[in-house]
């Protein structure tokens, strides 16, 4: 798996509120810029999504794939690719939520492996755009609710 790209932001809300937005995958196209569609395929006994099918258009990375999710209380959620796409051969990531005085610090980590050759610098730039757009969108979605 590739090196991870990481970024974080502080959101003025508690962890359960933020995780509720993160778990609402069908709404992702409304706030996560590169996600054009997200459909929950399976849910766990806790009602949280276990597998989700995505359509992504992040410029140089455009694909459809399925991710498997592991929810760790209200502290984090991890995911990895369970069905690769045309371009994406591997994808792992996580949201880590840590309570702070101003709300909750959300750290997003992402690593993407591609079936097609791509210079590492360009892949990391694409990862950074995906992360930064997602964090800005998540913050706006949670704080604007």
């Amino acid at each position: 798996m590739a090196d991870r790209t990481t970024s974080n932001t502080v959101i003025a809300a508690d962890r359960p509120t933020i995780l509720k937005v993160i778990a609402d995958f069908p709404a992702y196209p409304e706030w996560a810029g590169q996600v054009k569609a997200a459909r929950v395929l399976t849910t766990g006994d806790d009602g949280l999504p276990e597998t989700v099918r995505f359509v992504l258009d992040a410029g140089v990375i455009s694909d459809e794939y399925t991710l498997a999710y592991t929810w760790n209380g209200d502290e984090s959620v991890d995911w990895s690719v369970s069905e690769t796409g045309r371009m994406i051969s591997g994808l792992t990531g996580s949201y880590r939520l840590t309570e702070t005085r101003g709300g909750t610090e959300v750290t997003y980590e992402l690593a993407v492996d591609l079936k097609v050759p791509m210079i590492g610098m360009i892949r990391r730039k694409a990862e950074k755009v995906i992360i930064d757009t997602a964090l800005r969108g998540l913050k706006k979605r949670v704080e604007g609710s």
Side-chain angles (χ1 to χ4, degrees), residues 60-130:
V60 296
I61 302 174
S62 182
D63 209 347
E64 293 185 34
Y65 53 89
T66 302
L67 297 180
Y69 285 83
T70 302
W71 302 87
N72 305 299
D74 65 0
E75 295 178 3
S76 66
V77 58
D78 299 282
W79 59 88
S80 61
V81 70
S82 65
E83 184 181 327
T84 63
R86 293 178 324 278
M87 291 184 68
I88 294 173
S89 61
L91 191 152
T92 60
S94 67
Y95 280 112
R96 304 270 181 251
L97 287 73
T98 307
E99 292 184 8
T100 66
R101 287 182 108 172
T104 302
E105 180 178 37
V106 179
T107 302
Y108 186 161
E109 294 184 345
L110 183 67
V112 178
D113 280 330
L114 301 172
K115 293 179 180 178
V116 296
M118 182 179 288
I119 297 171
M121 180 177 73
I122 295 171
R123 182 184 39 77
R124 281 187 299 281
K125 183 169 176 54
E127 289 172 350
K128 182 79 168 138
V129 167
I130 292 168

Side-chain angles (χ1 to χ4, degrees), residues 2-79:
D3 293 333
R4 288 179 171 261
T5 301
T6 303
S7 190
N8 58 37
T9 191
V10 174
I11 298 177
D14 61 13
R15 293 188 302 203
T17 300
I18 296 167
L19 280 173
K20 184 176 178 185
V21 172
I22 291 170
D24 185 9
F25 292 103
Y28 273 41
E30 299 172 18
W31 62 267
Q34 297 86 4
V35 176
K36 301 307 173 194
R39 183 170 50 98
V40 175
L41 302 177
T42 61
T43 56
D45 293 337
D46 56 7
L48 291 169
E50 282 186 337
T51 57
V52 181
R53 182 79 177 163
F54 285 91
V55 176
L56 179 78
D57 186 357
V60 296
I61 302 174
S62 182
D63 209 347
E64 293 185 34
Y65 53 89
T66 302
L67 297 180
Y69 285 83
T70 302
W71 302 87
N72 305 299
D74 65 0
E75 295 178 3
S76 66
V77 58
D78 299 282
W79 59 88

